[in-house]
Amino acid sequence: MVHTLAVMTSGGDSPGMNAALRAVVRRALDRGLRVYGIYYGYEGLVGGGELIKPLTWLDVGKVLQRGGTFLGTARSEQFRTPEGRRRAVENLLGCGIEALVVIGGDGSLTGALLLASEWPQHLEKIAGLRPDLRPGIEQIPVLQVMGLPGSIDNDLSGTDMAIGVDSALNHIVRAIDDLSSTAASHQRTFVIETMGRNCGYLALAGTLATGASWMLIPECSLELHWHRRMIECLDTARKTGRRHQMVVIAEGARHPDGLRMEAGEVRKILAEKLGLEVRLTVLGHVQRGGPPSAYDRILATRLGVAAVDLLIDEPGMLHLHMVGIQKNRVVSTPLGEVIEKSREIQRLLDAGDFGQALELRGEAFRTMLELVESLTAACPAKESGGQGRVVIMTGGADAPGMNAAVSIAARRLLDRGISVLGARDEFYGLIHGDFIELEWNDLVGWMGRPSSDIGTARSNHVGEDFGRVAENIQKFNIKGIIVIGGLDTYRQVQRFVDMRADFPEFDIPVVLIPASIDNNLPGTDLCIGSDTALNNIVEAVDKIRDTAGATRRAFIVETMGKECGFLAAMSALAAGADKAYLPETGISLAELNRDVSELKRTFEAGNRMVIYMRNEDASRHYTTDFLRRLLEEESNEEFEVRSVVLGHVQRGGSPTAFDRILAGRIGAGAAGTLLNMMEKGSSEVLAFGLKEGAVSSCPLSEALGQVDALHKRPKVQWFLDLFPIVHSLAENRPCCREGRKEETLGSSSGKA
Ligand code: ADP
């Protein structure tokens, strides 16, 4: 059983490392462990002394929203030597540290594994040299290591995403969006270099999410005259109406002979061959900076908690593992395997075995690459002709990312020679024959647009107009329908399908794509739009937190979500709120009583700010305003109470990188299946989604059967398993109050 652990961040910093530190420290303290923090990575471990210090609950307060790592990180040459590592062992023994949690990239994890494997040899040496360390030598015969993937490069095997990748991707996507508007004004071409070392993930995902025109990554094999294809494509696109072009190059991209490809070279080739003004932007370290995204905070928190739990709950096991996320589940993989597989990809790329390297990068990487290859073409692969049309509609409340889904699904179909119409305002477009012709080049710029350009509506009373829908399906030769929307839209489609006996025109295939900020749809772990909403909420809560000042304040922040608590629960986790009221658990009078007492104790102990999240439908009677008045009444003017209803800002703005990629993956999958069904003459109605990391589908009737009809949410919701973490890591846990009181008393007596 581990009693003492140490945590450190190492190698390149990445956004979310602080969230991981907070989770490791608080979880470990909560479960009764002693915790040390090692400053400046392996430099601190070798140096010891002041660089290895105990950490308390409050030491990791207010760090969740900060980029970088408060422990600092470094690259250590000393640690690469056996002598340096022996000093590291001495320092660990001196503090009685039995387990080391290392947050970093493959270099840092390699170092940790080496240290653990050499441990017995070092002990032998130290036993002769340092008799003072004998108790430690006897008590700690092995070192346990838990690695957490912290790197923006996403080059580690054993995890689908590393901590920091999502934040870096959001920086890239925002930068390309911003550059696109200036590029469009001047009809310029830009070359944009992204980080990622030898992994092309950031460039690939950035290209998909922004609709960039061309991409160069280390995983793509290039023919000798690779630039001819690029020039031809960009030139054709320009002639067919693309006013500006974005070329994304990963820093690890290479020439066919293996030599590094410089972004400046690409700029020069483009300028010379196209005769255009071409600008180069190297995004550099801005990709690492800034507050972590909601996804990174949640990922870091889940992994940090899991690392500590594994160390405690599997006492008989020697842990030399990395915890990562695979298919939306936390998984632990032996460090040796992680390091070996990550290096294997590098070896394969060096040897020019791109097929095998891609195999190891995983299914999501390959799907994205295949998508980017077809979408970066200057025009569709097939000319449209006589195969009928597909209609795309967006329904219900709008969600960020709907336009991205329309763009990718439509381009997928256009590429195969199918004409695509956008129905204005969901079923109303079908009733009135009000369509927009969706064209290849126009759609490229839709990836980052907020809301839905074809319009959304709630057409629940469409029943009496089904006859006109049938007429228009025939008149416009519609052979398939793609519907992007929320639960009401799903139900509306079911009504449409139920009318097939009366209208044989409805006997065409239909695919549904889940888009709702509420994340309350069946058949998917995540809906398009929910990540953007989550980030909007978390940014707002960060700003509220910034107002912590002289007064003591309790905030009740109301989120959307209808009767699904996803936004309230996950934003509480990502923003470090003290609690969340969810519709799934409701609010009872007894709970409110406890909360009032708890709040009083918290402020008495010297805290200055408490944040409670409340889903808009958590309770019919205990509304946000009621809670505010209740807490205010009970405050005895010891603290202020404020309520903040975030409202529609949650659904606004450009979609996050995650939502765009989700829209891309599901949109492409759904469109591909629709095409197959059209070819086979099938008239199935399938609901698509992302389940356990993969795009999948099931019949709409089956999907609707998974819904709790009364509460309009799935009967099983995965995120509820994470909800207990909110309270267990909260700022104001009773176990941390004593520390705060001492701190307050100490500082006030100091002033006196
Ligand atoms: P990252 O963890 O981001 O991949 P680095 O590759 O720079 O970053 O590694 C961080 C640190 O880990 C190095 O400065 C070094 O101290 C240690 N390290 C990396 N590789 C090894 C190794 N093979 N042996 C011992 N220590 C290593």
Side-chain angles (χ1 to χ4, degrees):
M1 164 79 186
V2 172
H3 300 95
T4 306
L5 69 73
V7 61
M8 61 188 262
T9 47
S10 169
D13 65 313
S14 66
M17 280 183 158
N18 277 328
L21 289 171
R22 172 182 179 268
V24 170
V25 171
R26 290 198 171 168
R27 187 61 155 201
L29 290 172
D30 195 36
R31 299 204 59 184
L33 268 55
R34 275 186 305 277
V35 185
Y36 284 88
I38 298 166
Y39 288 78
Y40 305 112
Y42 290 121
E43 274 297 283
L45 192 55
V46 174
E50 276 299 288
L51 297 175
I52 305 179
K53 281 199 271 200
L55 290 176
T56 66
W57 196 274
L58 297 178
D59 288 330
V60 287
K62 305 184 190 93
V63 300
L64 196 56
Q65 64 272 36
R66 279 167 41 196
T69 151
F70 81 93
L71 281 182
T73 178
R75 296 205 153 91
S76 169
E77 283 313 308
Q78 297 187 76
F79 187 77
R80 287 182 183 273
T81 66
E83 174 62 18
R85 291 195 290 278
R86 201 199 66 207
R87 293 226 303 277
V89 174
E90 287 173 6
N91 289 327
L92 290 168
L93 289 173
C95 297
I97 295 164
E98 302 148 289
L100 188 60
V101 179
V102 178
I103 307 161
D106 67 333
S108 305
L109 302 187
T110 306
L113 183 60
L114 186 62
L115 184 71
S117 57
E118 290 178 350
W119 187 265
Q121 293 145 248
H122 289 303
L123 291 193
E124 249 177 57
K125 255 202 178 148
I126 293 166
L129 297 170
R130 297 276 307 267
D132 57 311
L133 293 176
R134 204 154 290 151
I137 293 170
E138 277 161 20
Q139 278 159 24
I140 313 172
V142 289
L143 177 73
Q144 315 247 14
V145 174
M146 273 292 179
L148 263 63
S151 159
I152 65 165
D153 305 332
N154 217 23
D155 57 352
L156 278 166
S157 170
T159 191
D160 295 341
M161 289 288 270
I163 298 163
V165 175
D166 184 62
S167 308
L169 202 47
N170 277 320
H171 280 302
I172 292 168
V173 164
R174 275 193 297 265
I176 299 180
D177 283 355
D178 292 349
L179 289 170
S180 294
S181 54
T182 156
S185 313
H186 295 271
Q187 305 209 16
R188 265 185 196 139
T189 294
F190 270 84
V191 174
I192 297 140
E193 186 189 283
T194 61
M195 282 185 160
R197 288 204 285 198
N198 294 311
C199 177
Y201 181 88
L202 289 177
L204 171 63
T207 304
L208 177 61
T210 56
S213 310
W214 201 256
M215 173 194 80
L216 294 155
I217 59 170
E219 289 82 356
C220 284
S221 79
L222 296 177
E223 67 253 30
L224 197 58
H225 299 293
W226 58 269
H227 52 274
R228 286 194 193 147
R229 251 185 72 213
M230 174 179 75
I231 298 291
E232 196 185 299
C233 174
L234 298 193
D235 201 33
T236 315
R238 192 164 195 90
K239 286 177 183 147
T240 52
R242 272 177 90 160
R243 288 160 55 84
H244 64 279
Q245 318 259 17
M246 298 300 192
V247 174
V248 181
I249 172 170
E251 66 177 346
R254 296 195 249 181
H255 283 285
D257 60 7
L259 285 178
R260 184 167 179 244
M261 189 185 284
E262 301 288 338
E265 269 176 81
V266 179
R267 189 204 71 76
K268 207 162 149 232
I269 294 171
L270 289 170
E272 277 170 12
K273 305 278 180 199
L274 291 171
L276 294 171
E277 197 179 347
V278 183
R279 295 287 160 98
L280 168 64
T281 302
V282 178
L283 294 180
H285 281 72
V286 290
Q287 292 163 88
R288 286 187 190 283
S293 65
Y295 180 91
D296 273 331
R297 299 183 200 192
I298 293 166
L299 175 66
T301 303
R302 289 176 75 179
L303 299 187
V305 165
V308 173
D309 285 353
L310 283 171
L311 283 169
I312 297 172
D313 296 336
E314 294 177 344
M317 189 163 157
L318 172 63
H319 288 286
L320 294 174
H321 286 76
M322 183 192 84
V323 280
I325 194 101
Q326 288 179 22
K327 302 179 185 220
N328 200 23
R329 294 219 169 103
V330 175
V331 177
S332 100
T333 312
L335 275 175
E337 190 182 318
V338 170
I339 293 161
E340 184 44 40
K341 281 204 179 145
S342 307
R343 288 203 187 136
E344 176 64 10
I345 298 179
Q346 191 50 52
R347 276 197 290 274
L348 290 166
L349 289 176
D350 289 342
D353 190 346
F354 297 97
Q356 197 52 32
L358 277 174
E359 200 55 38
L360 291 184
R361 283 271 188 249
E363 199 263 336
F365 195 102
R366 288 194 300 279
T367 311
M368 279 201 287
L369 182 57
E370 195 248 316
L371 250 178
V372 164
E373 278 170 350
S374 71
L375 297 177
T376 46
C379 48
K382 255 188 173 178
E383 269 190 37
S384 74
Q387 300 170 61
R389 294 188 169 106
V390 165
V391 158
I392 302 187
M393 57 173 99
T394 52
D398 57 317
M402 279 182 157
N403 276 327
V406 172
S407 166
I408 300 254
R411 282 192 284 157
R412 210 48 174 168
L413 296 164
L414 291 167
D415 201 40
R416 298 276 294 273
I418 307 284
S419 305
V420 188
L421 300 174
R424 271 196 207 279
D425 300 334
E426 208 216 47
F427 272 96
Y428 291 115
L430 270 174
I431 295 167
H432 302 298
D434 188 2
F435 299 116
I436 308 166
E437 186 87 40
L438 299 175
E439 309 268 10
W440 186 264
N441 272 337
D442 296 345
L443 287 164
V444 173
W446 285 37
M447 291 303 292
R449 290 196 199 164
S451 189
S452 166
D453 278 27
I454 55 176
T456 60
R458 287 179 217 272
S459 55
N460 294 347
H461 54 283
V462 80
E464 60 261 35
D465 292 314
F466 274 141
R468 292 167 73 187
V469 171
E471 276 168 31
N472 282 324
I473 287 180
Q474 203 168 37
K475 184 172 161 194
F476 288 89
N477 195 19
I478 293 162
K479 299 290 187 202
I481 302 180
I482 296 181
V483 184
I484 302 162
L487 197 54
D488 286 341
T489 307
Y490 275 42
R491 287 176 167 167
Q492 180 62 5
V493 171
Q494 187 59 56
R495 278 193 282 273
F496 165 87
V497 173
D498 291 343
M499 298 302 285
R500 279 179 168 175
D502 295 341
F503 300 104
E505 293 83 354
F506 294 0
D507 244 337
I508 52 176
V510 182
V511 290
L512 293 103
I513 296 175
S516 162
I517 66 162
D518 304 334
N519 206 35
N520 62 347
L521 287 165
T524 192
D525 290 337
L526 289 163
C527 296
I528 297 161
S530 58
D531 184 67
T532 309
L534 200 51
N535 277 286
N536 287 339
I537 298 168
V538 168
E539 274 172 35
V541 177
D542 284 353
K543 285 184 183 138
I544 290 170
R545 216 177 264 295
D546 287 344
T547 66
T551 49
R552 293 170 177 178
R553 280 198 195 121
F555 281 92
I556 303 151
V557 183
E558 185 185 289
T559 70
M560 285 182 162
K562 299 202 199 82
E563 290 200 57
C564 171
F566 176 84
L567 289 178
M570 297 303 258
S571 61
L573 202 59
D578 295 86
K579 78 171 287 173
Y581 297 107
L582 308 186
E584 286 84 353
T585 44
I587 307 176
S588 70
L589 193 55
E591 183 184 10
L592 288 178
N593 250 321
R594 281 195 302 274
D595 290 346
V596 166
S597 315
E598 180 73 8
L599 204 58
K600 284 182 181 171
R601 278 198 296 272
T602 298
F603 282 113
E604 271 165 23
N607 193 46
R608 308 206 79 79
M609 184 174 281
V610 170
I611 296 180
Y612 289 172
M613 307 302 295
R614 182 186 175 280
N615 159 287
E616 59 185 350
D617 287 340
S619 160
R620 207 143 62 92
H621 298 291
Y622 300 142
T623 62
T624 299
D625 190 52
F626 172 85
L627 290 187
R628 181 189 61 74
R629 285 182 287 122
L630 173 81
L631 298 181
E632 202 163 81
E633 182 69 26
E634 296 293 327
S635 72
N636 286 331
E637 304 199 353
E638 293 288 323
F639 55 90
E640 293 175 2
V641 185
R642 297 277 185 270
S643 58
V644 181
V645 179
L646 295 176
H648 277 70
V649 292
Q650 291 164 87
R651 57 171 82 254
S654 182
T656 55
F658 190 99
D659 272 335
R660 298 182 199 195
I661 289 163
L662 185 66
R665 289 181 66 193
I666 303 180
T673 303
L674 186 77
L675 269 166
N676 289 341
M677 291 199 288
M678 285 163 64
E679 278 163 15
K680 281 198 235 145
S682 152
S683 56
E684 272 189 279
V685 182
L686 298 177
F688 274 76
L690 192 80
K691 273 295 231 191
E692 296 178 357
V695 175
S696 64
S697 66
C698 68
L700 175 62
S701 51
E702 195 182 300
L704 289 175
Q706 295 165 17
V707 174
D708 168 350
L710 184 64
H711 297 105
K712 292 186 165 188
R713 63 185 178 227
K715 288 175 191 158
V716 180
Q717 301 188 98
W718 62 272
F719 68 87
L720 290 176
D721 291 345
L722 307 184
F723 185 52
I725 300 176
V726 172
H727 187 243
S728 85
L729 302 186
E731 203 71 12
N732 303 299
R733 292 291 308 282
C735 59
C736 75
R737 271 201 205 108
E738 287 316 305
R740 178 167 280 123
K741 197 153 201 170
E742 277 166 27
E743 182 191 58
T744 316
L745 290 174
S747 47
S748 63
S749 63
K751 263 185 208 162

